[in-house]
mmCIF file of all heavy atoms in Angstrom:
data_model
loop_
_atom_site.group_PDB
_atom_site.id
_atom_site.type_symbol
_atom_site.label_atom_id
_atom_site.label_comp_id
_atom_site.label_asym_id
_atom_site.label_seq_id
_atom_site.Cartn_x
_atom_site.Cartn_y
_atom_site.Cartn_z
ATOM 1 N N ARG A 242 -8.816 -14.429 30.713
ATOM 2 C CA ARG A 242 -9.250 -13.343 29.842
ATOM 3 C C ARG A 242 -8.035 -12.774 29.127
ATOM 4 O O ARG A 242 -6.981 -12.653 29.730
ATOM 5 C CB ARG A 242 -9.959 -12.235 30.654
ATOM 6 C CG ARG A 242 -11.265 -12.723 31.285
ATOM 7 C CD ARG A 242 -12.316 -12.996 30.202
ATOM 8 N NE ARG A 242 -13.583 -13.469 30.748
ATOM 9 C CZ ARG A 242 -13.899 -14.740 30.890
ATOM 10 N NH1 ARG A 242 -13.048 -15.672 30.529
ATOM 11 N NH2 ARG A 242 -15.063 -15.096 31.391
ATOM 12 N N PRO A 243 -8.149 -12.466 27.827
ATOM 13 C CA PRO A 243 -9.371 -12.352 27.028
ATOM 14 C C PRO A 243 -9.857 -13.612 26.341
ATOM 15 O O PRO A 243 -10.658 -13.510 25.420
ATOM 16 C CB PRO A 243 -8.996 -11.287 26.002
ATOM 17 C CG PRO A 243 -7.536 -11.424 25.825
ATOM 18 C CD PRO A 243 -6.989 -11.863 27.137
ATOM 19 N N GLY A 244 -9.453 -14.792 26.750
ATOM 20 C CA GLY A 244 -10.096 -15.984 26.234
ATOM 21 C C GLY A 244 -9.163 -17.019 25.654
ATOM 22 O O GLY A 244 -8.028 -16.726 25.278
ATOM 23 N N VAL A 245 -9.687 -18.257 25.574
ATOM 24 C CA VAL A 245 -8.924 -19.387 25.070
ATOM 25 C C VAL A 245 -9.736 -20.062 23.970
ATOM 26 O O VAL A 245 -10.930 -20.314 24.122
ATOM 27 C CB VAL A 245 -8.620 -20.400 26.190
ATOM 28 C CG1 VAL A 245 -7.901 -21.624 25.638
ATOM 29 C CG2 VAL A 245 -7.781 -19.744 27.285
ATOM 30 N N THR A 246 -9.045 -20.376 22.871
ATOM 31 C CA THR A 246 -9.651 -21.064 21.740
ATOM 32 C C THR A 246 -8.862 -22.330 21.459
ATOM 33 O O THR A 246 -7.631 -22.339 21.544
ATOM 34 C CB THR A 246 -9.639 -20.164 20.491
ATOM 35 O OG1 THR A 246 -10.395 -18.987 20.758
ATOM 36 C CG2 THR A 246 -10.246 -20.875 19.296
ATOM 37 N N LEU A 247 -9.589 -23.397 21.133
ATOM 38 C CA LEU A 247 -8.975 -24.660 20.735
ATOM 39 C C LEU A 247 -9.454 -25.042 19.346
ATOM 40 O O LEU A 247 -10.595 -24.768 18.982
ATOM 41 C CB LEU A 247 -9.359 -25.792 21.696
ATOM 42 C CG LEU A 247 -8.976 -25.684 23.161
ATOM 43 C CD1 LEU A 247 -9.433 -26.932 23.898
ATOM 44 C CD2 LEU A 247 -7.478 -25.496 23.326
ATOM 45 N N GLY A 248 -8.599 -25.723 18.608
ATOM 46 C CA GLY A 248 -9.010 -26.246 17.321
ATOM 47 C C GLY A 248 -7.930 -27.168 16.779
ATOM 48 O O GLY A 248 -6.782 -27.088 17.220
ATOM 49 N N PRO A 249 -8.235 -28.065 15.861
ATOM 50 C CA PRO A 249 -9.564 -28.313 15.301
ATOM 51 C C PRO A 249 -10.399 -29.313 16.084
ATOM 52 O O PRO A 249 -11.572 -29.485 15.798
ATOM 53 C CB PRO A 249 -9.251 -28.837 13.907
ATOM 54 C CG PRO A 249 -7.926 -29.511 14.050
ATOM 55 C CD PRO A 249 -7.172 -28.746 15.100
ATOM 56 N N CYS A 250 -9.787 -30.019 17.060
ATOM 57 C CA CYS A 250 -10.518 -30.916 17.968
ATOM 58 C C CYS A 250 -11.285 -32.014 17.244
ATOM 59 O O CYS A 250 -12.329 -32.478 17.720
ATOM 60 C CB CYS A 250 -11.473 -30.115 18.864
ATOM 61 S SG CYS A 250 -10.637 -29.008 20.025
ATOM 62 N N ALA A 251 -10.773 -32.467 16.090
ATOM 63 C CA ALA A 251 -11.458 -33.528 15.346
ATOM 64 C C ALA A 251 -11.444 -34.843 16.111
ATOM 65 O O ALA A 251 -12.340 -35.685 15.920
ATOM 66 C CB ALA A 251 -10.805 -33.702 13.981
ATOM 67 N N GLY A 252 -10.451 -35.050 16.983
ATOM 68 C CA GLY A 252 -10.369 -36.287 17.739
ATOM 69 C C GLY A 252 -11.537 -36.504 18.673
ATOM 70 O O GLY A 252 -11.843 -37.641 19.044
ATOM 71 N N LEU A 253 -12.209 -35.422 19.064
ATOM 72 C CA LEU A 253 -13.387 -35.561 19.923
ATOM 73 C C LEU A 253 -14.457 -36.430 19.272
ATOM 74 O O LEU A 253 -15.202 -37.134 19.953
ATOM 75 C CB LEU A 253 -13.974 -34.182 20.235
ATOM 76 C CG LEU A 253 -13.441 -33.427 21.448
ATOM 77 C CD1 LEU A 253 -14.039 -32.024 21.485
ATOM 78 C CD2 LEU A 253 -13.752 -34.176 22.736
ATOM 79 N N ALA A 254 -14.538 -36.366 17.952
ATOM 80 C CA ALA A 254 -15.560 -37.130 17.243
ATOM 81 C C ALA A 254 -15.288 -38.628 17.272
ATOM 82 O O ALA A 254 -16.182 -39.423 16.955
ATOM 83 C CB ALA A 254 -15.659 -36.653 15.794
ATOM 84 N N HIS A 255 -14.069 -39.032 17.667
ATOM 85 C CA HIS A 255 -13.703 -40.446 17.673
ATOM 86 C C HIS A 255 -13.713 -41.038 19.081
ATOM 87 O O HIS A 255 -13.406 -42.219 19.253
ATOM 88 C CB HIS A 255 -12.326 -40.617 17.028
ATOM 89 C CG HIS A 255 -12.288 -40.190 15.595
ATOM 90 N ND1 HIS A 255 -12.491 -41.060 14.546
ATOM 91 C CD2 HIS A 255 -12.102 -38.962 15.031
ATOM 92 C CE1 HIS A 255 -12.425 -40.401 13.403
ATOM 93 N NE2 HIS A 255 -12.192 -39.132 13.672
ATOM 94 N N LEU A 256 -14.051 -40.234 20.075
ATOM 95 C CA LEU A 256 -14.173 -40.734 21.439
ATOM 96 C C LEU A 256 -15.551 -41.344 21.644
ATOM 97 O O LEU A 256 -16.507 -40.989 20.945
ATOM 98 C CB LEU A 256 -13.972 -39.590 22.435
ATOM 99 C CG LEU A 256 -12.596 -38.913 22.459
ATOM 100 C CD1 LEU A 256 -12.609 -37.729 23.428
ATOM 101 C CD2 LEU A 256 -11.514 -39.910 22.858
#
Side-chain angles (χ1 to χ4, degrees):
R242 295 291 180 267
V245 176
T246 299
L247 299 181
C250 294
L253 272 174
H255 298 267
L256 296 176

